[in-house]
Amino acid sequence: MRKILVLLSVGMIALMGCKGDIKKVTIAGSTTVLPIAQATAEAFMQRNDNADVSVRGGGSSVGIASVIEGTVDIGDASRLAKGKEIQKAKAEGVDLVKHIVAFDGIAVIVDKSNEIGQISMEDLRDIYSGKIINWKELGGMDKEIVVINRDASSGTFETFEKKVMHKQKFVASSLKLGSNNAVVSSVKTTPGAIGYIGYGYINHGVNVLRVAGKVITKAGIKSGDYPISRSLQMYTNGQPKGMTKKYLDFVKSSAGQKIVSDQGFVAVN
């Protein structure tokens, strides 16, 4: 009986030791980067039994703010950190380090009934500022334009604002949605709608417009030839260490970058 109890105790200690060896990595931020983070986290945990990687969205602003506040190890962002965010980080003793994990383009989409095949940057800006309100003004159907936008915490919103709007204000009536998937769903089911999404979220339920004569392609995104292109990044406080470094090394590896491509984004290497 004593031997059995001793063996059980050793077994329990061993189990407790294994449980204590689990290393956690917490990630939050951009909904555009979210599928990359989720897919790479799952593959990474399959390769590392002692890794526990948790991923949630919230938007690029949330991701960067969470790193500054120290509530996550990695903050996903589909835009670069702003000057005020960098200043706040420095004031808090935080060194925001950028890790580019993919490239992406912002696709402009309309519902399937819309026969408009392309749009200029100026006309796109005029739609989103409210100057153009009907598709017939662009040679299309006599249908009021339903402007689908993203919420202000979104990196996709901020990239679109910077590259398309050129300090023009968005029309007040635009419908602000919280994710790429929500934009796709809304455009798909709303005649006359227009929206914008990350390249990896394109599906066959919508029409994708040529922008300034350019078709959105992986090659065009990587070269910057497509006019609404950007990098996708993960931010850390200083150079990553331990399991966080190991995870980011995996994301940047050939295996991790294949996952990036499989998710519909453009690999860095």
Side-chain angles (χ1 to χ4, degrees), residues 77-127:
S78 58
R79 60 165 175 81
L80 298 177
K82 300 176 186 176
K84 63 182 181 181
E85 290 171 326
I86 295 171
Q87 289 176 357
K88 183 179 180 181
K90 287 181 178 178
E92 297 290 335
V94 172
D95 177 22
L96 281 178
V97 175
K98 175 184 66 178
H99 308 269
I100 296 177
V101 297
F103 293 105
D104 184 34
I106 296 177
V108 179
I109 60 172
V110 295
D111 71 283
K112 280 288 190 180
S113 69
N114 197 328
E115 296 181 354
I116 291 287
Q118 63 180 341
I119 194 164
S120 69
M121 291 288 277
E122 182 180 2
D123 287 341
L124 185 58
R125 181 162 54 251
D126 285 348
I127 286 174

mmCIF file of all heavy atoms in Angstrom, residues 77-127:
data_model
loop_
_atom_site.group_PDB
_atom_site.id
_atom_site.type_symbol
_atom_site.label_atom_id
_atom_site.label_comp_id
_atom_site.label_asym_id
_atom_site.label_seq_id
_atom_site.Cartn_x
_atom_site.Cartn_y
_atom_site.Cartn_z
ATOM 1 N N ALA A 77 -1.606 44.391 -35.587
ATOM 2 C CA ALA A 77 -2.023 45.665 -36.176
ATOM 3 C C ALA A 77 -1.910 45.610 -37.695
ATOM 4 O O ALA A 77 -0.886 45.175 -38.226
ATOM 5 C CB ALA A 77 -1.188 46.812 -35.638
ATOM 6 N N SER A 78 -2.956 46.069 -38.365
ATOM 7 C CA SER A 78 -2.932 46.124 -39.825
ATOM 8 C C SER A 78 -2.525 47.514 -40.306
ATOM 9 O O SER A 78 -2.705 47.862 -41.467
ATOM 10 C CB SER A 78 -4.308 45.740 -40.404
ATOM 11 O OG SER A 78 -5.323 46.597 -39.905
ATOM 12 N N ARG A 79 -1.979 48.287 -39.404
ATOM 13 C CA ARG A 79 -1.402 49.599 -39.714
ATOM 14 C C ARG A 79 -0.181 49.792 -38.825
ATOM 15 O O ARG A 79 0.026 49.051 -37.855
ATOM 16 C CB ARG A 79 -2.412 50.723 -39.440
ATOM 17 C CG ARG A 79 -2.865 50.775 -37.977
ATOM 18 C CD ARG A 79 -3.548 52.064 -37.641
ATOM 19 N NE ARG A 79 -4.087 52.081 -36.278
ATOM 20 C CZ ARG A 79 -3.387 52.335 -35.184
ATOM 21 N NH1 ARG A 79 -2.088 52.570 -35.258
ATOM 22 N NH2 ARG A 79 -3.970 52.351 -33.987
ATOM 23 N N LEU A 80 0.606 50.802 -39.163
ATOM 24 C CA LEU A 80 1.769 51.113 -38.332
ATOM 25 C C LEU A 80 1.332 51.889 -37.100
ATOM 26 O O LEU A 80 0.329 52.603 -37.123
ATOM 27 C CB LEU A 80 2.782 51.929 -39.134
ATOM 28 C CG LEU A 80 3.369 51.234 -40.367
ATOM 29 C CD1 LEU A 80 4.301 52.194 -41.104
ATOM 30 C CD2 LEU A 80 4.106 49.953 -39.979
ATOM 31 N N ALA A 81 2.087 51.756 -36.035
ATOM 32 C CA ALA A 81 1.803 52.506 -34.811
ATOM 33 C C ALA A 81 1.905 53.999 -35.098
ATOM 34 O O ALA A 81 2.798 54.453 -35.816
ATOM 35 C CB ALA A 81 2.786 52.109 -33.710
ATOM 36 N N LYS A 82 0.976 54.763 -34.552
ATOM 37 C CA LYS A 82 0.962 56.211 -34.749
ATOM 38 C C LYS A 82 1.987 56.874 -33.832
ATOM 39 O O LYS A 82 2.418 56.294 -32.830
ATOM 40 C CB LYS A 82 -0.428 56.764 -34.415
ATOM 41 C CG LYS A 82 -1.550 56.205 -35.262
ATOM 42 C CD LYS A 82 -2.875 56.763 -34.770
ATOM 43 C CE LYS A 82 -4.029 56.135 -35.492
ATOM 44 N NZ LYS A 82 -5.334 56.611 -34.960
ATOM 45 N N GLY A 83 2.319 58.123 -34.175
ATOM 46 C CA GLY A 83 3.266 58.881 -33.366
ATOM 47 C C GLY A 83 2.822 59.013 -31.927
ATOM 48 O O GLY A 83 3.620 58.857 -30.992
ATOM 49 N N LYS A 84 1.529 59.262 -31.726
ATOM 50 C CA LYS A 84 1.030 59.433 -30.359
ATOM 51 C C LYS A 84 1.075 58.125 -29.571
ATOM 52 O O LYS A 84 1.263 58.133 -28.352
ATOM 53 C CB LYS A 84 -0.386 60.006 -30.366
ATOM 54 C CG LYS A 84 -1.441 59.137 -31.013
ATOM 55 C CD LYS A 84 -2.809 59.835 -31.006
ATOM 56 C CE LYS A 84 -3.881 58.973 -31.636
ATOM 57 N NZ LYS A 84 -5.203 59.656 -31.654
ATOM 58 N N GLU A 85 0.924 56.996 -30.280
ATOM 59 C CA GLU A 85 1.016 55.694 -29.612
ATOM 60 C C GLU A 85 2.465 55.413 -29.212
ATOM 61 O O GLU A 85 2.729 54.887 -28.120
ATOM 62 C CB GLU A 85 0.478 54.590 -30.526
ATOM 63 C CG GLU A 85 -1.017 54.650 -30.724
ATOM 64 C CD GLU A 85 -1.523 53.715 -31.793
ATOM 65 O OE1 GLU A 85 -0.795 53.490 -32.804
ATOM 66 O OE2 GLU A 85 -2.659 53.203 -31.664
ATOM 67 N N ILE A 86 3.390 55.767 -30.091
ATOM 68 C CA ILE A 86 4.807 55.572 -29.798
ATOM 69 C C ILE A 86 5.226 56.455 -28.627
ATOM 70 O O ILE A 86 5.959 56.024 -27.726
ATOM 71 C CB ILE A 86 5.665 55.870 -31.044
ATOM 72 C CG1 ILE A 86 5.357 54.846 -32.145
ATOM 73 C CG2 ILE A 86 7.153 55.855 -30.705
ATOM 74 C CD1 ILE A 86 5.980 55.162 -33.489
ATOM 75 N N GLN A 87 4.738 57.688 -28.608
ATOM 76 C CA GLN A 87 5.045 58.613 -27.501
ATOM 77 C C GLN A 87 4.479 58.092 -26.178
ATOM 78 O O GLN A 87 5.153 58.149 -25.145
ATOM 79 C CB GLN A 87 4.473 59.996 -27.810
ATOM 80 C CG GLN A 87 5.212 60.737 -28.916
ATOM 81 C CD GLN A 87 4.570 62.059 -29.273
ATOM 82 O OE1 GLN A 87 3.524 62.422 -28.742
ATOM 83 N NE2 GLN A 87 5.175 62.791 -30.187
ATOM 84 N N LYS A 88 3.240 57.578 -26.229
ATOM 85 C CA LYS A 88 2.631 57.034 -25.013
ATOM 86 C C LYS A 88 3.409 55.834 -24.509
ATOM 87 O O LYS A 88 3.619 55.669 -23.303
ATOM 88 C CB LYS A 88 1.171 56.648 -25.273
ATOM 89 C CG LYS A 88 0.461 56.147 -24.026
ATOM 90 C CD LYS A 88 -0.997 55.803 -24.296
ATOM 91 C CE LYS A 88 -1.668 55.293 -23.016
ATOM 92 N NZ LYS A 88 -3.088 54.923 -23.252
ATOM 93 N N ALA A 89 3.836 54.986 -25.451
ATOM 94 C CA ALA A 89 4.616 53.804 -25.085
ATOM 95 C C ALA A 89 5.910 54.215 -24.377
ATOM 96 O O ALA A 89 6.258 53.673 -23.326
ATOM 97 C CB ALA A 89 4.921 52.969 -26.326
ATOM 98 N N LYS A 90 6.607 55.193 -24.931
ATOM 99 C CA LYS A 90 7.854 55.661 -24.332
ATOM 100 C C LYS A 90 7.626 56.226 -22.937
ATOM 101 O O LYS A 90 8.416 56.006 -22.015
ATOM 102 C CB LYS A 90 8.502 56.708 -25.233
ATOM 103 C CG LYS A 90 9.116 56.133 -26.503
ATOM 104 C CD LYS A 90 9.755 57.217 -27.351
ATOM 105 C CE LYS A 90 10.409 56.610 -28.592
ATOM 106 N NZ LYS A 90 11.006 57.660 -29.472
ATOM 107 N N ALA A 91 6.511 56.961 -22.797
ATOM 108 C CA ALA A 91 6.182 57.534 -21.486
ATOM 109 C C ALA A 91 5.931 56.448 -20.446
ATOM 110 O O ALA A 91 6.159 56.652 -19.252
ATOM 111 C CB ALA A 91 4.950 58.438 -21.611
ATOM 112 N N GLU A 92 5.446 55.285 -20.919
ATOM 113 C CA GLU A 92 5.165 54.157 -20.020
ATOM 114 C C GLU A 92 6.362 53.216 -19.895
ATOM 115 O O GLU A 92 6.264 52.165 -19.257
ATOM 116 C CB GLU A 92 3.956 53.373 -20.542
ATOM 117 C CG GLU A 92 2.649 54.167 -20.588
ATOM 118 C CD GLU A 92 2.108 54.469 -19.210
ATOM 119 O OE1 GLU A 92 2.420 53.722 -18.268
ATOM 120 O OE2 GLU A 92 1.383 55.482 -19.064
ATOM 121 N N GLY A 93 7.466 53.572 -20.542
ATOM 122 C CA GLY A 93 8.650 52.712 -20.492
ATOM 123 C C GLY A 93 8.540 51.503 -21.388
ATOM 124 O O GLY A 93 9.226 50.494 -21.180
ATOM 125 N N VAL A 94 7.697 51.601 -22.413
ATOM 126 C CA VAL A 94 7.473 50.485 -23.334
ATOM 127 C C VAL A 94 8.164 50.772 -24.664
ATOM 128 O O VAL A 94 8.039 51.871 -25.224
ATOM 129 C CB VAL A 94 5.954 50.267 -23.571
ATOM 130 C CG1 VAL A 94 5.725 49.234 -24.664
ATOM 131 C CG2 VAL A 94 5.279 49.844 -22.272
ATOM 132 N N ASP A 95 8.906 49.792 -25.165
ATOM 133 C CA ASP A 95 9.589 49.902 -26.451
ATOM 134 C C ASP A 95 8.805 49.102 -27.486
ATOM 135 O O ASP A 95 8.904 47.873 -27.539
ATOM 136 C CB ASP A 95 11.018 49.371 -26.320
ATOM 137 C CG ASP A 95 11.772 49.393 -27.650
ATOM 138 O OD1 ASP A 95 11.379 50.175 -28.546
ATOM 139 O OD2 ASP A 95 12.747 48.626 -27.785
ATOM 140 N N LEU A 96 7.996 49.783 -28.299
ATOM 141 C CA LEU A 96 7.188 49.094 -29.309
ATOM 142 C C LEU A 96 8.081 48.592 -30.448
ATOM 143 O O LEU A 96 8.682 49.390 -31.176
ATOM 144 C CB LEU A 96 6.119 50.031 -29.879
ATOM 145 C CG LEU A 96 4.865 50.272 -29.046
ATOM 146 C CD1 LEU A 96 3.949 51.279 -29.757
ATOM 147 C CD2 LEU A 96 4.105 48.974 -28.784
ATOM 148 N N VAL A 97 8.159 47.288 -30.583
ATOM 149 C CA VAL A 97 8.963 46.681 -31.648
ATOM 150 C C VAL A 97 8.029 46.047 -32.663
ATOM 151 O O VAL A 97 7.143 45.261 -32.319
ATOM 152 C CB VAL A 97 9.935 45.624 -31.083
ATOM 153 C CG1 VAL A 97 10.675 44.918 -32.213
ATOM 154 C CG2 VAL A 97 10.926 46.287 -30.134
ATOM 155 N N LYS A 98 8.237 46.396 -33.935
ATOM 156 C CA LYS A 98 7.378 45.938 -35.029
ATOM 157 C C LYS A 98 7.947 44.681 -35.676
ATOM 158 O O LYS A 98 9.139 44.606 -35.956
ATOM 159 C CB LYS A 98 7.268 47.053 -36.080
ATOM 160 C CG LYS A 98 6.512 46.686 -37.338
ATOM 161 C CD LYS A 98 6.560 47.831 -38.351
ATOM 162 C CE LYS A 98 7.959 48.058 -38.861
ATOM 163 N NZ LYS A 98 8.055 49.116 -39.874
ATOM 164 N N HIS A 99 7.068 43.694 -35.908
ATOM 165 C CA HIS A 99 7.442 42.463 -36.610
ATOM 166 C C HIS A 99 6.492 42.314 -37.799
ATOM 167 O O HIS A 99 5.310 41.986 -37.616
ATOM 168 C CB HIS A 99 7.331 41.249 -35.691
ATOM 169 C CG HIS A 99 8.053 41.410 -34.381
ATOM 170 N ND1 HIS A 99 9.362 41.030 -34.205
ATOM 171 C CD2 HIS A 99 7.640 41.942 -33.190
ATOM 172 C CE1 HIS A 99 9.729 41.314 -32.966
ATOM 173 N NE2 HIS A 99 8.707 41.859 -32.338
ATOM 174 N N ILE A 100 6.973 42.573 -39.017
ATOM 175 C CA ILE A 100 6.121 42.425 -40.205
ATOM 176 C C ILE A 100 5.944 40.942 -40.485
ATOM 177 O O ILE A 100 6.921 40.199 -40.635
ATOM 178 C CB ILE A 100 6.731 43.143 -41.425
ATOM 179 C CG1 ILE A 100 6.790 44.653 -41.178
ATOM 180 C CG2 ILE A 100 5.915 42.852 -42.690
ATOM 181 C CD1 ILE A 100 7.452 45.452 -42.297
ATOM 182 N N VAL A 101 4.688 40.495 -40.534
ATOM 183 C CA VAL A 101 4.404 39.068 -40.718
ATOM 184 C C VAL A 101 3.735 38.765 -42.053
ATOM 185 O O VAL A 101 3.652 37.607 -42.459
ATOM 186 C CB VAL A 101 3.531 38.533 -39.563
ATOM 187 C CG1 VAL A 101 4.277 38.639 -38.234
ATOM 188 C CG2 VAL A 101 2.197 39.267 -39.477
ATOM 189 N N ALA A 102 3.256 39.796 -42.756
ATOM 190 C CA ALA A 102 2.575 39.577 -44.033
ATOM 191 C C ALA A 102 2.354 40.913 -44.724
ATOM 192 O O ALA A 102 2.533 41.984 -44.129
ATOM 193 C CB ALA A 102 1.235 38.879 -43.823
ATOM 194 N N PHE A 103 1.962 40.842 -45.993
ATOM 195 C CA PHE A 103 1.498 42.026 -46.722
ATOM 196 C C PHE A 103 0.047 41.807 -47.119
ATOM 197 O O PHE A 103 -0.412 40.668 -47.264
ATOM 198 C CB PHE A 103 2.358 42.274 -47.965
ATOM 199 C CG PHE A 103 3.765 42.672 -47.650
ATOM 200 C CD1 PHE A 103 4.809 41.774 -47.810
ATOM 201 C CD2 PHE A 103 4.054 43.943 -47.179
ATOM 202 C CE1 PHE A 103 6.116 42.133 -47.515
ATOM 203 C CE2 PHE A 103 5.360 44.320 -46.872
ATOM 204 C CZ PHE A 103 6.394 43.408 -47.045
ATOM 205 N N ASP A 104 -0.673 42.911 -47.268
ATOM 206 C CA ASP A 104 -2.106 42.830 -47.544
ATOM 207 C C ASP A 104 -2.518 44.000 -48.430
ATOM 208 O O ASP A 104 -1.851 45.033 -48.466
ATOM 209 C CB ASP A 104 -2.885 42.879 -46.218
ATOM 210 C CG ASP A 104 -4.385 42.691 -46.400
ATOM 211 O OD1 ASP A 104 -4.781 41.931 -47.301
ATOM 212 O OD2 ASP A 104 -5.149 43.294 -45.637
ATOM 213 N N GLY A 105 -3.605 43.824 -49.149
ATOM 214 C CA GLY A 105 -4.199 44.904 -49.913
ATOM 215 C C GLY A 105 -5.646 45.060 -49.489
ATOM 216 O O GLY A 105 -6.274 44.102 -49.030
ATOM 217 N N ILE A 106 -6.177 46.258 -49.617
ATOM 218 C CA ILE A 106 -7.579 46.498 -49.285
ATOM 219 C C ILE A 106 -8.399 46.442 -50.570
ATOM 220 O O ILE A 106 -8.201 47.267 -51.474
ATOM 221 C CB ILE A 106 -7.762 47.849 -48.569
ATOM 222 C CG1 ILE A 106 -7.027 47.828 -47.227
ATOM 223 C CG2 ILE A 106 -9.247 48.143 -48.358
ATOM 224 C CD1 ILE A 106 -7.087 49.137 -46.472
ATOM 225 N N ALA A 107 -9.269 45.459 -50.641
ATOM 226 C CA ALA A 107 -10.123 45.273 -51.820
ATOM 227 C C ALA A 107 -11.393 46.094 -51.673
ATOM 228 O O ALA A 107 -11.980 46.155 -50.597
ATOM 229 C CB ALA A 107 -10.464 43.803 -51.991
ATOM 230 N N VAL A 108 -11.828 46.710 -52.765
ATOM 231 C CA VAL A 108 -13.085 47.455 -52.793
ATOM 232 C C VAL A 108 -14.135 46.551 -53.416
ATOM 233 O O VAL A 108 -13.952 46.044 -54.526
ATOM 234 C CB VAL A 108 -12.948 48.764 -53.595
ATOM 235 C CG1 VAL A 108 -14.274 49.505 -53.628
ATOM 236 C CG2 VAL A 108 -11.858 49.643 -52.983
ATOM 237 N N ILE A 109 -15.228 46.331 -52.687
ATOM 238 C CA ILE A 109 -16.226 45.356 -53.125
ATOM 239 C C ILE A 109 -17.611 45.983 -53.266
ATOM 240 O O ILE A 109 -17.955 46.942 -52.579
ATOM 241 C CB ILE A 109 -16.298 44.154 -52.153
ATOM 242 C CG1 ILE A 109 -16.674 44.619 -50.736
ATOM 243 C CG2 ILE A 109 -14.989 43.383 -52.153
ATOM 244 C CD1 ILE A 109 -16.947 43.476 -49.760
ATOM 245 N N VAL A 110 -18.412 45.404 -54.196
ATOM 246 C CA VAL A 110 -19.811 45.790 -54.385
ATOM 247 C C VAL A 110 -20.637 44.516 -54.480
ATOM 248 O O VAL A 110 -20.096 43.423 -54.628
ATOM 249 C CB VAL A 110 -20.002 46.651 -55.653
ATOM 250 C CG1 VAL A 110 -19.283 47.982 -55.517
ATOM 251 C CG2 VAL A 110 -19.511 45.907 -56.904
ATOM 252 N N ASP A 111 -21.961 44.659 -54.406
ATOM 253 C CA ASP A 111 -22.812 43.468 -54.488
ATOM 254 C C ASP A 111 -22.826 42.928 -55.917
ATOM 255 O O ASP A 111 -22.468 43.621 -56.869
ATOM 256 C CB ASP A 111 -24.234 43.788 -54.014
ATOM 257 C CG ASP A 111 -24.990 44.662 -54.996
ATOM 258 O OD1 ASP A 111 -24.716 45.883 -55.014
ATOM 259 O OD2 ASP A 111 -25.839 44.146 -55.737
ATOM 260 N N LYS A 112 -23.239 41.685 -56.076
ATOM 261 C CA LYS A 112 -23.180 40.972 -57.344
ATOM 262 C C LYS A 112 -24.028 41.613 -58.450
ATOM 263 O O LYS A 112 -23.745 41.437 -59.640
ATOM 264 C CB LYS A 112 -23.606 39.515 -57.151
ATOM 265 C CG LYS A 112 -22.530 38.609 -56.597
ATOM 266 C CD LYS A 112 -21.468 38.353 -57.651
ATOM 267 C CE LYS A 112 -20.501 37.265 -57.233
ATOM 268 N NZ LYS A 112 -19.475 37.023 -58.265
ATOM 269 N N SER A 113 -25.061 42.354 -58.082
ATOM 270 C CA SER A 113 -25.919 42.971 -59.092
ATOM 271 C C SER A 113 -25.292 44.219 -59.707
ATOM 272 O O SER A 113 -25.781 44.738 -60.717
ATOM 273 C CB SER A 113 -27.280 43.335 -58.481
ATOM 274 O OG SER A 113 -27.147 44.400 -57.542
ATOM 275 N N ASN A 114 -24.218 44.702 -59.124
ATOM 276 C CA ASN A 114 -23.578 45.926 -59.589
ATOM 277 C C ASN A 114 -22.626 45.610 -60.741
ATOM 278 O O ASN A 114 -21.704 44.813 -60.597
ATOM 279 C CB ASN A 114 -22.814 46.595 -58.439
ATOM 280 C CG ASN A 114 -22.478 48.042 -58.715
ATOM 281 O OD1 ASN A 114 -22.247 48.434 -59.849
ATOM 282 N ND2 ASN A 114 -22.445 48.842 -57.664
ATOM 283 N N GLU A 115 -22.827 46.250 -61.891
ATOM 284 C CA GLU A 115 -22.016 45.971 -63.075
ATOM 285 C C GLU A 115 -20.810 46.886 -63.212
ATOM 286 O O GLU A 115 -20.054 46.789 -64.179
ATOM 287 C CB GLU A 115 -22.897 46.059 -64.330
ATOM 288 C CG GLU A 115 -24.001 44.998 -64.357
ATOM 289 C CD GLU A 115 -24.864 45.073 -65.603
ATOM 290 O OE1 GLU A 115 -24.678 46.026 -66.389
ATOM 291 O OE2 GLU A 115 -25.699 44.182 -65.786
ATOM 292 N N ILE A 116 -20.641 47.807 -62.271
ATOM 293 C CA ILE A 116 -19.440 48.655 -62.281
ATOM 294 C C ILE A 116 -18.218 47.759 -62.059
ATOM 295 O O ILE A 116 -18.149 47.013 -61.091
ATOM 296 C CB ILE A 116 -19.509 49.716 -61.156
ATOM 297 C CG1 ILE A 116 -20.599 50.740 -61.456
ATOM 298 C CG2 ILE A 116 -18.163 50.413 -60.981
ATOM 299 C CD1 ILE A 116 -20.269 51.717 -62.564
ATOM 300 N N GLY A 117 -17.259 47.827 -62.954
ATOM 301 C CA GLY A 117 -16.106 46.939 -62.828
ATOM 302 C C GLY A 117 -14.869 47.597 -62.266
ATOM 303 O O GLY A 117 -13.941 46.913 -61.820
ATOM 304 N N GLN A 118 -14.831 48.928 -62.273
ATOM 305 C CA GLN A 118 -13.642 49.616 -61.789
ATOM 306 C C GLN A 118 -14.015 50.978 -61.225
ATOM 307 O O GLN A 118 -15.119 51.485 -61.462
ATOM 308 C CB GLN A 118 -12.627 49.777 -62.909
ATOM 309 C CG GLN A 118 -13.099 50.634 -64.066
ATOM 310 C CD GLN A 118 -12.041 50.762 -65.148
ATOM 311 O OE1 GLN A 118 -10.843 50.523 -64.917
ATOM 312 N NE2 GLN A 118 -12.447 51.142 -66.335
ATOM 313 N N ILE A 119 -13.077 51.553 -60.505
ATOM 314 C CA ILE A 119 -13.326 52.849 -59.902
ATOM 315 C C ILE A 119 -11.991 53.580 -59.734
ATOM 316 O O ILE A 119 -10.947 52.958 -59.470
ATOM 317 C CB ILE A 119 -14.048 52.698 -58.540
ATOM 318 C CG1 ILE A 119 -14.614 54.043 -58.066
ATOM 319 C CG2 ILE A 119 -13.131 52.087 -57.493
ATOM 320 C CD1 ILE A 119 -15.634 53.895 -56.955
ATOM 321 N N SER A 120 -12.014 54.884 -59.917
ATOM 322 C CA SER A 120 -10.803 55.679 -59.702
ATOM 323 C C SER A 120 -10.674 56.010 -58.222
ATOM 324 O O SER A 120 -11.646 55.934 -57.462
ATOM 325 C CB SER A 120 -10.859 56.975 -60.523
ATOM 326 O OG SER A 120 -11.863 57.841 -59.999
ATOM 327 N N MET A 121 -9.492 56.386 -57.801
ATOM 328 C CA MET A 121 -9.285 56.784 -56.405
ATOM 329 C C MET A 121 -10.122 58.025 -56.092
ATOM 330 O O MET A 121 -10.682 58.140 -54.995
ATOM 331 C CB MET A 121 -7.805 57.050 -56.151
ATOM 332 C CG MET A 121 -6.925 55.813 -56.198
ATOM 333 S SD MET A 121 -7.155 54.720 -54.760
ATOM 334 C CE MET A 121 -6.073 55.527 -53.581
ATOM 335 N N GLU A 122 -10.244 58.939 -57.046
ATOM 336 C CA GLU A 122 -11.022 60.157 -56.818
ATOM 337 C C GLU A 122 -12.505 59.842 -56.643
ATOM 338 O O GLU A 122 -13.161 60.372 -55.729
ATOM 339 C CB GLU A 122 -10.841 61.128 -57.989
ATOM 340 C CG GLU A 122 -11.583 62.447 -57.797
ATOM 341 C CD GLU A 122 -11.404 63.401 -58.966
ATOM 342 O OE1 GLU A 122 -10.729 63.035 -59.948
ATOM 343 O OE2 GLU A 122 -11.954 64.522 -58.893
ATOM 344 N N ASP A 123 -13.050 58.963 -57.499
ATOM 345 C CA ASP A 123 -14.468 58.603 -57.374
ATOM 346 C C ASP A 123 -14.723 57.830 -56.084
ATOM 347 O O ASP A 123 -15.774 57.998 -55.443
ATOM 348 C CB ASP A 123 -14.920 57.773 -58.590
ATOM 349 C CG ASP A 123 -15.052 58.611 -59.855
ATOM 350 O OD1 ASP A 123 -15.156 59.846 -59.736
ATOM 351 O OD2 ASP A 123 -15.058 58.020 -60.956
ATOM 352 N N LEU A 124 -13.769 56.999 -55.687
ATOM 353 C CA LEU A 124 -13.904 56.255 -54.436
ATOM 354 C C LEU A 124 -13.946 57.220 -53.260
ATOM 355 O O LEU A 124 -14.773 57.090 -52.345
ATOM 356 C CB LEU A 124 -12.731 55.281 -54.292
ATOM 357 C CG LEU A 124 -12.755 54.318 -53.108
ATOM 358 C CD1 LEU A 124 -14.010 53.457 -53.116
ATOM 359 C CD2 LEU A 124 -11.504 53.424 -53.112
ATOM 360 N N ARG A 125 -13.074 58.203 -53.291
ATOM 361 C CA ARG A 125 -13.057 59.229 -52.250
ATOM 362 C C ARG A 125 -14.368 60.024 -52.249
ATOM 363 O O ARG A 125 -14.917 60.333 -51.188
ATOM 364 C CB ARG A 125 -11.863 60.163 -52.475
ATOM 365 C CG ARG A 125 -11.719 61.259 -51.433
ATOM 366 C CD ARG A 125 -10.327 61.857 -51.451
ATOM 367 N NE ARG A 125 -9.913 62.343 -52.755
ATOM 368 C CZ ARG A 125 -8.972 61.758 -53.515
ATOM 369 N NH1 ARG A 125 -8.356 60.677 -53.102
ATOM 370 N NH2 ARG A 125 -8.650 62.266 -54.683
ATOM 371 N N ASP A 126 -14.880 60.348 -53.436
ATOM 372 C CA ASP A 126 -16.128 61.112 -53.534
ATOM 373 C C ASP A 126 -17.335 60.320 -53.029
ATOM 374 O O ASP A 126 -18.272 60.891 -52.469
ATOM 375 C CB ASP A 126 -16.366 61.572 -54.977
ATOM 376 C CG ASP A 126 -15.457 62.733 -55.379
ATOM 377 O OD1 ASP A 126 -14.816 63.310 -54.486
ATOM 378 O OD2 ASP A 126 -15.389 63.040 -56.582
ATOM 379 N N ILE A 127 -17.307 59.001 -53.213
ATOM 380 C CA ILE A 127 -18.383 58.159 -52.668
ATOM 381 C C ILE A 127 -18.324 58.181 -51.140
ATOM 382 O O ILE A 127 -19.334 58.385 -50.461
ATOM 383 C CB ILE A 127 -18.265 56.711 -53.185
ATOM 384 C CG1 ILE A 127 -18.701 56.630 -54.652
ATOM 385 C CG2 ILE A 127 -19.117 55.757 -52.327
ATOM 386 C CD1 ILE A 127 -18.491 55.262 -55.283
#
